[in-house]
Amino acid sequence: MINNKVDVIALQETHTTDEADLQKRGYIAGYTLIGAINHKQYGIATYVKNDIDTANVVYRSHLNNIEILATTKDNVTIINVYKPPNANWENPPDMGTFKLARWRKDYTPDLSITSRNTLDGLTIATRHIFGDFPHSQHRPVLLEYGLKVPLVHFLPKPRWNFRKAKWVEYANELDHVIQWIPPTVNCYERFIGAVKATAYKHVPRGFRKQFIPGWDESCTELFEEFQKTKSNNDTDNLINALNTKRKQRWQETTEKMDFKYSSHKAWGLLKRMGAVNQGSMKQHTTNPNQVATRLTGMSKLAMDKEHARIIKSELRRRKKALEPHTSLGADFSLEEINNALRKTKINKAAGYDEIYSEFLKFSGPKTRAWLTCFYSEILRSGQLPKLFKRAKVIALLKPGNDGLDAADFRPISLLSVPFKLLERIILERIQPHIEKLIPVGQAGFRENRGCEEQVLALTTLIEAGFQNKLKSSAAFVDLSAAYDTVWRHGLMYKFSKAIPCKNLVTLLENMLTNCRYQVFMGCKGSKWRTANNGLPQGSVLAPTLFNLYLHDIPKTKGLMFQYADDIAIVHQIRELKDGSNTLNDGLATLGDYFYKWRLKPNPTKTEVCAFHLNNKQAYEELEVVFNSVQVQHSFKPKYLGITLDRSLTFKEHIENTTKKLHSRINIIQKLDGTGWGADGRTLRTATLALVYSTAEYGAQVWCNSTHTKKIDTQLNIEMRIVSGTVKRTPTQAKESALSNFEGTKEWRENWTSTDAENSGLVSDPNKGVEGMDLPRDVWSVLNRIRTGHGRCGSMMSKWGLKDSPTCDCGHDNQTIHHIVEDCPKRRFNRGIEGIHAANNEALEWIRELDIAL
């Protein structure tokens, strides 16, 4: 209680018979008893802190074993109510305030109520239930009343403010300094020192220890006044001022959101509101050393020793025979450096050398020329700076896991930015040669290929089987830590065959040998470890090298669909039994291949499924064994983010997508209100990025499902939010406010044939309507006039919110058309078409309109 600064304590079930009994058993240090109702079975009591002298009991009642004790402190009334635990609350909390140990059930028989009429009638209170209390089945409940003043603390870690950097001065000075540093591996640390020293001069760096959101000079004056007077009125004035300022800041923040010029800031706001999955916040017992030990163990898996000996011997022979390649091993050019820098993303974490991508991306021509010579020297010598081979591994908890096992975490490597730039340059050279070797069935990380295309290819094959009365047996193979188990010698053997260049082979082997890494979970770090196998997740080269590592995966009797390490085998048969046999043979072949090349399949997470239209066999399961383990038969397997089912109805996938859309729409709703919020263009961009991207993922796969209306409903709700129109607005009318951007001929024809009210205002739906940059209140009214649906008398009467649809001008039906075109009190001289143009005259008329449409 002392730690939580509790002012008033309300106790229930004191079990005291009189005041003397209560004084003897109910003494609480630092608090004074001001009122109690004694009862040998129940009983309540109220205490206040010793330094509070304005509290008084104003009401007490004890009828039918229901005890009520009301206490006032200044303008606050605390009512302590107790009744026996024989009734359930209508909306019970997540955890009850009373734990019945015998039956192991929670109840909430305790009730505390605070009431106060201030802050514009708002009651701001929060409740927190603590854990079990010693020697009692009751749990303490902490009630906090009043507007909290959040004090935000920052870690004492300075950060670069790249938005306020003077990049021109930075580039000029670095170009002047860099000419005194030789472009060699041994001078890399001097290069880092020059970059940092120059950045310190031209890029602001620092941190704020703490601050209160919304606090300004007026709040400081009110707080100083309160410290002098200790008056509740001054407290109310301070809280009101701070609350008003925070509301204003929120409205300004949403109205200034702009994805075109400051998308990073906009996305940051959406992430903080929960639009992006930021991982589980559950407590776990796994430490960084356990994750690091697992990574080391995964790189030392058992394999076929004879096969390993042959591969190592062949690799040594090939390395001796290799010669420098005229084009692949040539020095890097300035054009290659510039092209790699253009593709380098900003706002990314730095490696151990603390060089950020911004430092290189905004560098001058002499610095880029230095990098060209530096990387060319690395290619010729095959040597790397020590910092290039150090990685900071961040362990992220995988979705849906509890974090009790090291395997529940995904290791993401933060590598040196200059090292990743070197990787990107090498990738541009080797990718065309490697692409020729990758099988067509592999779609992962390849140009013009994607997840949706791969799922579509899979489902198209299954549907073709339906047409031919065939059943499709499928196995979805799971590989454990696929990148971390890549065998270095095996990869180098395949790389030397694909890229016959001594310089690149030597350099790549150095890049993958004796790499040092440290695992971090929050502020805790593991001991330094050494890795000689595996590909770091976060490396630019890793996806392409992994595709090369699997390019010779053996063919099976069925068709194989790959997306990086996600592998699906599909075979079409007449009888399910034949499908089981075929999958057994295929998985056995893959098992031998994985063992030879030291990859670790996970039979417990591998799934099989049978796709067919025979309802009599709906619950028959395939019997498949993988590495001597019975494979689980799943009736609803998930492949590349899309949930499949036996007959490809996609019911569960669409239902799950609908739930995601609902939660994301709630995020968008936080960006606007009835008369305030972000402008239409910002809302539209956020909607396309958050809502439509989720809704349309894999649409070409499930678009013919009978359940797609569930997604359409959510999209209609979102269109209503963006356009500011009312719920009963027809869909086509809402689309008129959102029209624009890459329409098709079919969409244009559908629009011209619609009978929506005022559809003639939009002649070409491929062109955006006027007013998307207007304030939220004006934009909403404008679209309600365009659609003919708003809070006019006619609509309000239909909705049962108004007795009569008449207009105050005497007309018997107040429609939006009447208001704009005919009403003698309000009509706009240029009519609805003039309003649609959204010029200054029309906007002024909307602002002066006396009806809240």
Side-chain angles (χ1 to χ4, degrees):
M1 290 179 290
I2 299 298
N3 293 337
N4 289 284
K5 300 179 181 180
V6 176
D7 294 316
V8 180
I9 301 175
L11 293 183
Q12 290 88 24
E13 289 192 4
T14 56
H15 301 289
T16 55
T17 56
D18 51 31
E19 293 294 329
D21 190 17
L22 181 60
Q23 290 290 347
K24 182 175 67 174
R25 298 177 54 198
Y27 172 73
I28 301 176
Y31 291 85
T32 302
L33 175 68
I34 63 168
I37 297 176
N38 298 303
H39 192 282
K40 64 179 181 179
Q41 290 181 327
Y42 310 126
I44 59 176
T46 301
Y47 297 77
V48 298
K49 288 184 70 173
N50 290 339
D51 57 356
I52 296 177
D53 55 6
T54 58
N56 297 294
V57 175
V58 295
Y59 178 81
R60 68 176 67 220
S61 172
H62 186 195
L63 296 174
N64 301 324
N65 290 331
I66 297 178
E67 302 167 340
I68 303 175
L69 187 66
T71 306
T72 61
K73 177 191 175 298
D74 298 328
N75 295 326
V76 181
T77 301
I78 301 99
I79 305 175
N80 186 359
V81 181
Y82 174 82
K83 64 177 180 178
N86 56 5
N88 295 323
W89 302 116
E90 181 178 353
N91 297 308
D94 295 335
M95 182 171 64
T97 62
F98 178 83
K99 181 181 180 181
L100 188 58
R102 181 175 181 181
W103 302 109
R104 298 181 181 179
K105 290 186 177 181
D106 287 356
Y107 299 91
T108 307
D110 310 301
L111 176 64
S112 298
I113 301 173
T114 60
S115 63
R116 188 182 181 189
N117 294 323
T118 60
L119 298 177
D120 300 326
L122 297 176
T123 299
I124 305 172
T126 58
R127 182 178 71 165
H128 178 70
I129 302 173
F130 291 104
D132 296 346
F133 195 76
H135 309 295
S136 175
Q137 293 178 320
H138 288 270
R139 295 187 177 112
V141 181
L142 176 65
L143 292 173
E144 294 181 294
Y145 180 80
L147 179 66
K148 289 185 178 181
V149 180
L151 185 63
V152 181
H153 296 273
F154 287 92
L155 292 173
K157 181 180 179 180
R159 299 181 180 181
W160 298 100
N161 189 346
F162 294 120
R163 296 175 189 166
K164 296 183 179 180
K166 300 177 181 179
W167 290 118
V168 175
E169 291 83 351
Y170 164 83
N172 291 336
E173 183 169 342
L174 184 58
D175 278 353
H176 174 72
V177 174
I178 204 72
Q179 59 185 333
W180 309 109
I181 304 175
T184 61
V185 173
N186 296 331
C187 294
Y188 179 68
E189 293 188 4
R190 288 180 60 189
F191 169 74
I192 292 176
V195 171
K196 290 182 179 179
T198 308
Y200 282 131
K201 295 180 181 180
H202 304 289
V203 183
R205 191 169 187 264
F207 69 95
R208 289 188 292 185
K209 294 182 179 180
Q210 61 186 29
F211 82 103
I212 300 174
W215 193 277
D216 58 7
E217 293 182 359
S218 61
C219 293
T220 302
E221 294 175 359
L222 290 171
F223 181 69
E224 292 174 352
E225 185 67 24
F226 164 73
Q227 287 182 314
K228 294 177 183 178
T229 63
K230 301 295 181 180
S231 169
N232 287 328
N233 290 331
D234 291 333
T235 305
D236 288 344
N237 292 335
L238 174 59
I239 291 175
N240 274 315
L242 184 59
N243 196 27
T244 301
K245 186 66 177 179
R246 289 167 67 183
K247 284 183 179 180
Q248 291 176 353
R249 284 193 60 184
W250 174 245
Q251 293 182 13
E252 292 172 0
T253 300
T254 55
E255 289 170 358
K256 292 179 180 179
M257 279 186 68
D258 184 3
F259 285 88
K260 186 175 181 181
Y261 298 105
S262 183
S263 61
H264 178 70
K265 189 173 183 179
W267 281 117
L269 175 62
L270 293 176
K271 286 181 181 180
R272 289 193 295 274
M273 292 194 302
V276 180
N277 183 18
Q278 302 181 54
S280 173
M281 300 300 292
K282 296 180 181 178
Q283 295 293 327
H284 52 77
T285 57
T286 307
N287 59 56
N289 281 309
Q290 291 174 310
V291 178
T293 300
R294 180 179 181 272
L295 290 178
T296 304
M298 294 301 291
S299 65
K300 298 178 181 179
L301 296 176
M303 63 179 303
D304 188 334
K305 293 184 178 180
E306 179 62 21
H307 179 258
R309 185 188 64 79
I310 295 173
I311 293 299
K312 289 180 180 179
S313 176
E314 182 63 20
L315 176 60
R316 287 193 296 268
R317 186 190 65 79
R318 293 192 61 85
K319 286 167 63 176
K320 290 180 181 179
L322 284 174
E323 296 291 339
H325 197 277
T326 54
S327 59
L328 292 173
D331 287 353
F332 297 117
S333 66
L334 181 60
E335 183 181 355
E336 289 179 294
I337 301 295
N338 290 333
N339 183 48
L341 285 173
R342 278 195 298 269
K343 295 181 179 180
T344 299
K345 297 180 180 179
I346 59 175
N347 300 317
K348 298 296 181 181
Y352 264 105
D353 55 10
E354 297 183 347
I355 297 296
Y356 288 84
S357 57
E358 286 84 352
F359 294 156
L360 303 183
K361 199 171 182 70
F362 296 103
S363 59
K366 293 183 180 180
T367 302
R368 297 188 177 203
W370 188 93
L371 289 172
T372 304
C373 298
F374 174 65
Y375 289 140
S376 298
E377 171 64 22
I378 289 176
L379 179 61
R380 289 191 298 267
S381 65
Q383 300 300 313
L384 291 170
K386 291 182 179 179
L387 290 175
F388 275 20
K389 301 178 71 171
R390 290 189 178 183
K392 183 186 296 184
V393 178
I394 308 298
L396 301 178
L397 185 62
K398 298 177 182 177
N401 291 282
D402 53 16
L404 299 179
D405 188 3
D408 294 342
F409 294 85
R410 178 176 288 110
I412 303 299
S413 299
L414 299 183
L415 305 172
S416 167
V417 170
F419 175 68
K420 293 171 71 173
L421 182 63
L422 173 62
E423 285 189 308
R424 190 173 298 280
I425 301 169
I426 295 173
L427 178 63
E428 292 295 324
R429 284 196 176 185
I430 66 174
Q431 195 163 28
H433 299 271
I434 294 179
E435 278 292 320
K436 298 175 183 178
L437 303 175
I438 308 300
V440 177
Q442 173 64 271
F445 304 103
R446 303 182 68 183
E447 190 174 2
N448 300 323
R449 303 287 296 275
C451 297
E452 296 168 282
E453 175 207 349
Q454 196 74 342
V455 182
L456 180 61
L458 174 65
T459 55
T460 300
L461 175 66
I462 296 173
E463 289 173 348
F466 292 165
Q467 298 295 325
N468 296 319
K469 298 182 179 180
L470 295 174
K471 300 177 177 65
S472 300
S473 58
F476 301 91
V477 181
D478 180 82
L479 291 175
S480 297
Y483 277 37
D484 301 323
T485 58
V486 171
W487 178 35
R488 174 169 55 90
H489 293 99
L491 175 61
M492 292 308 306
Y493 169 73
K494 297 180 181 182
F495 184 82
S496 64
K497 293 177 65 177
I499 308 296
C501 176
K502 183 177 181 179
N503 292 348
L504 286 176
V505 170
T506 303
L507 177 58
L508 180 63
E509 187 166 27
N510 191 7
M511 293 166 70
L512 299 177
T513 306
N514 294 326
C515 297
R516 302 278 287 167
Y517 68 90
Q518 193 176 13
V519 177
F520 284 88
M521 300 174 67
C523 298
K524 298 179 180 179
S526 70
K527 297 179 181 178
W528 281 97
R529 308 295 177 98
T530 302
N532 282 303
N533 290 301
L535 295 171
Q537 297 188 47
S539 165
V540 176
L541 279 173
T544 300
L545 293 178
F546 185 80
N547 284 350
L548 175 64
Y549 193 62
L550 287 184
H551 85 280
D552 57 349
I553 190 169
K555 294 182 179 180
T556 59
K557 193 172 182 180
L559 289 179
M560 186 179 298
F561 299 85
Q562 295 175 257
Y563 193 91
D565 60 333
D566 289 304
I567 302 173
I569 305 173
V570 182
H571 182 64
Q572 295 186 325
I573 46 13
R574 295 285 180 183
E575 299 296 334
L576 291 181
K577 183 178 180 181
D578 297 333
S580 297
N581 295 333
T582 303
L583 291 181
N584 278 320
D585 294 340
L587 291 178
T589 302
L590 291 183
D592 293 339
Y593 174 82
F594 294 149
Y595 181 67
K596 282 185 177 182
W597 296 100
R598 203 157 72 177
L599 293 169
K600 185 181 180 182
N602 190 343
T604 59
K605 291 187 178 181
T606 298
E607 296 178 337
V608 294
C609 182
F611 299 93
H612 58 86
L613 300 178
N614 190 342
N615 293 333
K616 293 182 179 180
Q617 295 180 298
Y619 298 103
E620 289 191 20
E621 299 184 1
L622 297 174
E623 296 182 359
V624 179
V625 176
F626 188 20
N627 283 1
S628 302
V629 178
Q630 181 74 34
V631 178
Q632 177 187 359
H633 182 101
S634 174
F635 292 100
K636 296 176 182 177
K638 194 172 185 178
Y639 183 60
L640 298 180
I642 295 182
T643 304
L644 309 175
D645 55 75
R646 175 181 61 86
S647 54
L648 296 186
T649 62
F650 300 102
K651 178 181 178 181
E652 182 162 335
H653 175 77
I654 291 176
E655 288 178 348
N656 293 336
T657 302
T658 301
K659 293 177 182 178
K660 290 181 183 178
L661 294 178
H662 181 72
S663 62
R664 293 188 173 218
I665 288 172
N666 289 339
I667 297 295
I668 300 296
Q669 284 181 317
K670 295 179 182 180
L671 299 179
D672 73 276
T674 304
W676 62 273
D679 59 64
R681 193 177 305 279
T682 298
L683 288 175
R684 182 182 182 278
T685 303
T687 296
L688 290 176
L690 293 179
V691 180
Y692 273 78
S693 61
T694 301
E696 294 177 350
Y697 176 74
Q700 61 268 53
V701 177
W702 48 260
C703 61
N704 293 324
S705 172
T706 57
H707 304 281
T708 54
K709 290 184 179 179
K710 298 176 182 178
I711 291 180
D712 292 339
T713 300
Q714 297 298 319
L715 296 182
N716 289 340
I717 293 173
E718 183 56 27
M719 283 195 293
R720 187 161 57 246
I721 293 172
V722 176
S723 61
T725 52
V726 295
K727 184 175 182 180
R728 296 182 180 273
T729 306
T731 304
Q732 297 92 338
K734 285 180 283 189
E735 289 171 349
S736 70
L738 295 176
S739 62
N740 191 11
F741 326 105
E742 301 180 5
T744 62
K745 181 180 179 181
E746 182 180 0
W747 161 231
R748 186 182 295 109
E749 292 175 351
N750 289 340
W751 174 256
T752 55
S753 62
T754 184
D755 57 352
E757 186 173 355
N758 298 330
S759 60
L761 294 176
V762 179
S763 58
D764 187 355
N766 299 323
K767 298 180 180 180
V769 295
E770 297 293 333
M772 293 196 76
D773 298 318
L774 291 172
R776 174 68 181 179
D777 54 347
V778 180
W779 168 250
S780 298
V781 174
L782 178 61
N783 286 328
R784 295 183 183 190
I785 293 175
R786 285 168 170 164
T787 59
H789 288 68
R791 296 174 60 85
C792 58
S794 177
M795 291 293 178
M796 297 287 281
S797 178
K798 287 182 180 180
W799 301 336
L801 300 176
K802 193 175 181 181
D803 296 333
S804 172
T806 58
C807 181
D808 56 0
C809 71
H811 194 271
D812 59 354
N813 192 18
Q814 189 193 57
T815 63
I816 287 183
H817 183 275
H818 166 76
I819 293 173
V820 178
E821 299 278 357
D822 304 323
C823 183
K825 291 187 175 181
R826 306 175 181 87
R827 66 170 175 259
F828 184 60
N829 56 6
R830 297 180 58 193
I832 290 180
E833 291 187 0
I835 295 292
H836 175 68
N839 54 27
N840 292 334
E841 184 181 359
L843 298 180
E844 185 64 26
W845 181 86
I846 290 175
R847 292 188 179 97
E848 294 179 356
L849 185 63
D850 60 348
I851 300 176
L853 293 180

